[in-house]
Amino acid sequence: MREGAAERHDRLLNLVRERGTVRVSDLADRLGVATVTARRDVEALASRGLLERAHGSVSWPADRGPAGTPAGGGPVIGMLAPAAAYYFAEVIRGAHEAAARLGARLILRVTDYRPEDDAAHAAGLLAAGAQGLLLAPSWTEPEHPERYGEWIARLPGEKVLVERRGAPGSPLEGLDQVGSDHAHGVLLAVRHLVRLGHGTPMLVARSDSPTALAVRAGFTRALAALGLAGTEPLIATVSADRDPALFERSAQAVRSAVREGRASSVLVHNDEEAIRLVRRLAELGVRVPGDLALVTYDDEVAALADTPLSAVAPPKREVGRSAAELLVERLAGPRYPGGDGPSPRRRVALLPALRVRESCGRPGRATPTVLRRSDPLHPFPNRSSFDHSIFRS
């Protein structure tokens, strides 16, 4: 299987983290790529604050590395992430920013979406001196939390789940949790398309990422909340590089629905698939937005498409910041010493935003992200919007 840029970025970050400082030419040799590719990767990661560049070499930022203990002896917090690029790059950056502001040191381990390796990496963070952990395990399938989750409950010290949920009845249900309310994000997208005059939109979604599973579940809830009939079955897709036949079937299914008048709008997860889908649909005679209004989910590269794509943007950096702030607060001890007991555990759900661009046929500015509990269009008007059942990853 051909390695993508995200996987290569993760390997690059791990190499620099392990060695501290590495020449770009040496990185190219270790990664097995051309020097110009390694240089481009370094520039991309440095622009996100994940690396530092100087005189043909690249270094792990001092305030994130082994020698970067903050002045004043602040806590050391470890972060376990499934990737250091694409979605989680911003989560990591937010956690790093919050830790630095609070005088804490953040150390990172990237697991490359291998859930069987998560426990070993978490142990490595603790061995490196982490006093508390931010945990985003590599769960991509519905059964992964049960198969690869019990070790988390046995970990010593404070821990916060990041963009992950502890299922009711599981050993993780009582942990602090910080994440995006993807059900709300899906509702924003569906409601926007309906208000533009479209009927029930189609959903084209992957199944091999935690966000994709949440988007699928949130779509069903959004249709119910808006009183819409699900006239079209979910269209499964995957990276065109991994399964060209499945990707082609998904494109043909969308084309048929548009040409036969069954649908005129679609929500796609994720940006990469949406950009490729738009290109393939154009080859099949379906224009976005002329024939089909489209919203994508993630907003990583949606604005860079030939036709800028409207997108749901989970608050990734704020998720990282909030999780790090919560963990540092836990490590500092009770907020109010002498109280009735330990502070209650928290489930923090941050609301995504909808950024409207040209792919819906009506360019505009970002829509508000606040729904009142009394609003009948809120997906769960009498409950916390952070609902366990919408996350299976």
Side-chain angles (χ1 to χ4, degrees):
M1 182 186 302
R2 182 179 178 183
E3 181 182 49
E7 292 82 4
R8 189 173 65 252
H9 286 180
D10 292 342
R11 287 206 294 137
L12 190 156
L13 286 167
N14 278 328
L15 286 170
V16 178
R17 176 175 54 81
E18 292 168 358
R19 298 188 173 203
T21 300
V22 188
R23 292 185 61 81
V24 174
S25 57
D26 293 337
L27 277 176
D29 291 340
R30 294 295 301 274
L31 295 171
V33 298
T35 301
V36 66
T37 300
R39 187 177 298 115
R40 185 170 61 245
D41 290 345
V42 164
E43 290 173 355
L45 294 170
S47 70
R48 298 175 182 172
L50 299 176
L51 296 174
E52 293 179 351
R53 291 180 294 159
H55 308 298
S57 64
V58 61
S59 300
W60 195 249
D63 55 1
R64 294 172 65 204
T69 302
V76 177
I77 61 176
M79 185 169 191
L80 182 76
Y86 197 73
Y87 191 102
F88 273 93
E90 283 295 288
V91 178
I92 293 167
R93 186 172 183 177
H96 176 222
E97 291 171 345
R101 181 177 62 82
L102 296 171
R105 172 185 153 202
L106 179 71
I107 56 178
L108 172 69
R109 286 216 173 191
V110 178
T111 61
D112 298 319
Y113 281 101
R114 291 193 294 267
E116 63 274 12
D117 295 340
D118 284 348
H121 282 294
L125 288 168
L126 294 172
Q131 297 159 271
L133 296 175
L134 302 174
L135 298 170
S138 300
W139 298 339
T140 59
E141 302 293 339
E143 70 274 9
H144 279 180
E146 183 176 355
R147 288 181 59 189
Y148 300 110
E150 289 190 3
W151 62 270
I152 296 175
R154 298 193 296 268
L155 289 172
E158 296 290 347
K159 40 199 172 284
V160 177
L161 291 177
V162 182
E163 292 287 28
R164 302 290 186 266
R165 305 295 174 90
S170 78
L172 308 183
E173 66 176 349
L175 295 184
D176 287 315
Q177 304 168 26
V178 179
S180 304
D181 187 344
H182 294 303
H184 179 81
V186 172
L187 177 67
L188 290 177
V190 174
R191 186 172 60 184
H192 177 71
L193 292 169
V194 171
R195 285 178 173 174
L196 289 178
H198 300 283
T200 303
M202 295 175 283
L203 175 64
V204 176
R206 298 172 63 154
S207 62
D208 57 350
S209 78
T211 305
L213 298 175
V215 167
R216 287 176 172 225
F219 185 76
T220 300
R221 289 178 174 270
L223 296 189
L226 298 174
L228 299 172
T231 57
E232 293 295 317
L234 179 148
I235 300 173
T237 190
V238 72
S239 168
D241 292 334
R242 290 183 53 190
D243 192 336
L246 177 56
F247 176 80
E248 180 63 18
R249 288 197 298 273
S250 68
Q252 293 288 347
V254 173
R255 176 189 179 278
S256 296
V258 174
R259 287 301 184 210
E260 295 169 13
R262 302 197 310 270
S264 60
S265 64
V266 63
L267 172 64
V268 183
H269 178 270
N270 55 25
D271 291 3
E272 179 184 359
E273 305 316 313
I275 290 173
R276 291 179 173 180
L277 180 64
V278 169
R279 185 169 64 244
R280 180 61 182 135
L281 287 174
E283 295 170 349
L284 296 172
V286 175
R287 300 166 301 149
V288 172
D291 302 311
L292 178 70
L294 182 146
V295 177
T296 182
Y297 202 100
D298 272 358
D299 200 33
E300 286 286 327
V301 293
L304 304 180
D306 292 345
T307 299
L309 304 180
S310 298
V312 176
K316 298 177 279 285
R317 192 182 297 193
E318 285 298 329
V319 166
R321 288 174 180 159
S322 298
E325 289 168 354
L326 176 55
L327 182 58
V328 171
E329 179 185 319
R330 291 293 188 199
L331 293 173
R335 274 184 174 181
Y336 308 104
D340 296 333
S343 174
R345 296 293 167 179
R346 296 178 219 166
R347 295 172 183 164
V348 181
L350 302 180
L351 302 185
L354 175 62
R355 294 172 180 158
V356 180
R357 303 187 180 101
E358 295 177 21
S359 65
C360 287
R362 186 179 299 176
R365 303 176 65 180
T367 63
T369 62
V370 176
L371 281 177
R372 296 180 177 86
R373 292 291 171 194
S374 58
D375 190 337
L377 294 182
H378 193 286
F380 318 113
N382 298 314
R383 301 172 55 191
S384 166
S385 62
F386 197 79
D387 189 323
H388 287 296
S389 65
I390 66 170
F391 273 78
R392 297 186 290 167
S393 58

